[in-house]
Amino acid sequence: MLSRLINFLRACLGPSSNRYIHTGSDAAGRQDGLLWYKDTGQHMNGEFSIAVVQANNLLEDQSQIESGPLSLLESGPYGTFIGIYDGHGGPETSRFINDQLFQHLKTGFTSEQQSMSVDVIKKAYQATEEGFLSVVTKQWPMKPQIAAVGSCCLVGVICGGTLYIANVGDSRAVLGRLVRSTGEVLAIQLSAEHNVGIESVRQEMYSLHPDDSHIVVLKHNVWRVKGLIQISRSIGDVYLKKAEFNREPLYTKFRLREPFKRPILSSEPSISVHELQPHDQFLIFASDGLWEHLSNQEAVDIVQNHPHSGSARRLVKAALQEAAKKREMRYSDLKKIDRGVRRHFHDDITVIVVFLDSNLVSRASSVKGPSLSVRGCGVNVPAKALAPCATPMDSSTT
């Protein structure tokens, strides 16, 4: 039965994309089938590793790591910025965030405020949300479905020994912390998630919308906001934030029966601040495609028990092996399945592992370091190669 489904979907989605092989040096990352990775690199506070595996016909995950100046001011501050943007409904929002959020963060500093802060990060999120709303407003007459495109947005900023974690949606940041007395490395989740599958998030939605008993609905055994989407906070998803975009010609499946008076979803990030300690070993930032298959501690153990180089790729492989096992198939067979079809087995997965060198972390934010800018890449496919019957899927909305 499973093999017949794969063959049917493969026929629908067209020619194979598995002709991609390792190319070039690791300096710019490498491609292996639907996997793109950069095994090792140097940021201001240590080493990093990044990997992306594509499942959707168009990659909906976007990501970046930026190291060096965190503002446009000559006086600093300096540090490392990590972003994971897990899109749904299409790639437009996650791509927009990848282009805009870090720039908004850099321009958020003024002569009065020259250090990183919760306020600077909040304003960068707000400016990014407002910017995408402008895009939707302009494109609505020609491309109304863009109102139903959105993205989770997980950000980490390391600056002067302090770590800021900001999040909307259900991507996750996990810290690996050494317990000196035992030698164990414990997993500590740093990000708050906004998925209504979590009881506390459902209660938050009920309290914010006391006049709507159907604000959260159990549909096909999955909790969803208005029966449509699993996450309660995002960038984009304008159709659930502005009533004027929840009407024709938006697809019927996105339109609510009754107009709403206030936004259903929020773009307000949950932000936490952590003073990094010498026993803080590394950070794992990943879209929920990874956490569907690995627990926090399993991911930390994999990173801890292997060399730094290739950590992100190792985590992606472990998640894919679990995905294959759940479908009672071999990992080697899963790797042969094309993008689009692959989405029936796992989501797009993006992982960035950031190692922390305590000597570098403790430096003042005014100390300059080498500048770096890396973005996670997917398979580069010409638009005309996309099959017309392909329908993007995403765990946040389906």
Side-chain angles (χ1 to χ4, degrees):
M1 181 70 183
L2 182 61
S3 61
R4 287 204 299 272
L5 172 65
I6 294 171
N7 291 335
F8 169 76
L9 293 168
R10 185 174 288 145
C12 173
L13 289 171
S16 171
S17 62
N18 278 314
R19 292 186 290 273
Y20 295 86
I21 56 172
H22 298 268
T23 57
S25 70
D26 191 46
R30 293 188 174 194
Q31 192 85 44
D32 180 10
L34 297 178
L35 173 70
W36 176 92
Y37 62 92
K38 180 174 172 59
D39 276 344
T40 187
Q42 195 75 27
H43 66 102
M44 278 191 66
N45 304 109
E47 298 173 272
F48 74 90
S49 176
I50 180 171
V52 180
V53 67
Q54 182 171 345
N56 286 294
N57 221 333
L58 289 173
L59 181 69
E60 294 182 342
D61 275 13
Q62 298 291 311
S63 55
Q64 65 188 130
I65 178 166
E66 311 280 345
S67 196
L70 296 176
S71 90
L72 300 177
L73 299 172
E74 190 65 35
S75 56
Y78 298 85
T80 299
F81 174 98
I82 306 99
I84 302 278
Y85 318 124
D86 179 1
H88 47 263
E92 292 89 347
T93 314
S94 56
R95 289 176 178 176
F96 182 86
I97 299 170
N98 217 9
D99 288 336
Q100 299 293 321
L101 180 59
F102 182 59
Q103 297 308 314
H104 285 306
L105 184 94
K106 290 179 76 171
T107 57
F109 292 93
T110 64
S111 56
E112 293 81 32
Q113 187 157 6
Q114 296 189 33
S115 60
M116 183 55 60
S117 70
V118 168
D119 192 49
V120 167
I121 297 170
K122 275 188 177 179
K123 286 180 177 176
Y125 269 73
Q126 183 181 353
T128 305
E129 169 82 349
E130 291 172 355
F132 191 71
L133 173 59
S134 296
V135 170
V136 173
T137 302
K138 289 174 186 174
Q139 295 191 11
W140 169 262
M142 307 83 68
K143 188 182 177 184
Q145 307 317 319
I146 196 170
V149 180
S151 182
C152 302
C153 182
L154 170 65
V155 162
V157 182
I158 305 169
C159 184
T162 302
L163 169 66
Y164 299 83
I165 297 287
N167 191 45
V168 293
D170 57 6
S171 295
R172 187 182 303 171
V174 173
L175 170 69
R177 173 173 287 172
L178 175 66
V179 180
R180 297 196 188 281
S181 58
T182 64
E184 295 175 281
V185 176
L186 293 182
I188 300 172
Q189 185 169 323
L190 299 180
S191 56
E193 291 173 30
H194 311 113
N195 186 311
V196 292
I198 302 168
E199 170 68 24
S200 60
V201 179
R202 290 200 298 278
Q203 292 304 320
E204 179 184 58
M205 291 300 286
Y206 289 132
S207 65
L208 290 171
H209 304 272
D211 54 342
D212 187 351
S213 59
H214 300 291
I215 188 66
V216 181
V217 178
L218 189 62
K219 188 175 180 181
H220 305 306
N221 213 31
V222 177
W223 288 102
R224 299 177 191 277
V225 178
K226 302 301 290 183
L228 294 168
I229 188 168
Q230 288 178 255
I231 55 174
S232 62
R233 304 191 199 188
S234 69
I235 303 292
D237 293 310
V238 177
Y239 76 116
L240 290 175
K241 294 174 179 175
K242 301 279 186 181
E244 60 264 36
F245 295 106
N246 198 289
R247 58 179 176 83
E248 291 184 340
L250 189 69
Y251 290 151
T252 306
K253 66 178 181 178
F254 295 123
R255 299 206 301 266
L256 302 180
R257 292 180 181 177
E258 297 179 2
F260 52 93
K261 296 177 181 178
R262 61 177 179 273
I264 293 169
L265 301 187
S266 167
S267 62
E268 178 83 9
S270 292
I271 303 179
S272 57
V273 183
H274 311 268
E275 295 303 321
L276 291 170
Q277 306 299 320
H279 49 282
D280 294 336
Q281 305 290 290
F282 54 82
L283 299 158
I284 303 171
F285 294 85
S287 56
D288 75 318
L290 181 82
W291 308 113
E292 284 174 16
H293 303 292
L294 297 179
S295 71
N296 295 349
Q297 192 62 53
E298 285 170 338
V300 163
D301 289 346
I302 289 168
V303 174
Q304 174 62 18
N305 295 329
H306 295 88
H308 288 190
S309 180
S311 291
R313 180 158 56 111
R314 217 168 276 120
L315 286 171
V316 168
K317 181 178 179 181
L320 296 184
Q321 287 173 328
E322 282 300 312
K325 189 187 298 183
K326 288 173 184 176
R327 301 300 287 268
E328 298 182 342
M329 64 191 300
R330 291 179 298 187
Y331 168 66
S332 56
D333 290 334
L334 177 65
K335 284 182 68 179
K336 296 172 185 174
I337 299 173
D338 305 335
R339 59 189 166 79
V341 180
R342 184 79 80 87
R343 183 58 188 88
H344 293 268
F345 299 84
H346 66 83
D347 198 356
D348 295 335
I349 302 174
T350 298
V351 180
I352 301 178
V353 181
V354 176
F355 294 95
L356 302 168
D357 182 322
S358 59
N359 293 323
L360 298 175
V361 167
S362 61
R363 293 189 309 179
S365 63
S366 58
V367 177
K368 297 182 181 180
S371 292
L372 166 90
S373 181
V374 175
R375 293 193 179 190
C377 299
V379 176
N380 188 14
V381 185
K384 64 183 179 181
L386 297 177
C389 62
T391 302
M393 298 171 61
D394 185 277
S395 60
S396 295
T397 53
T398 58

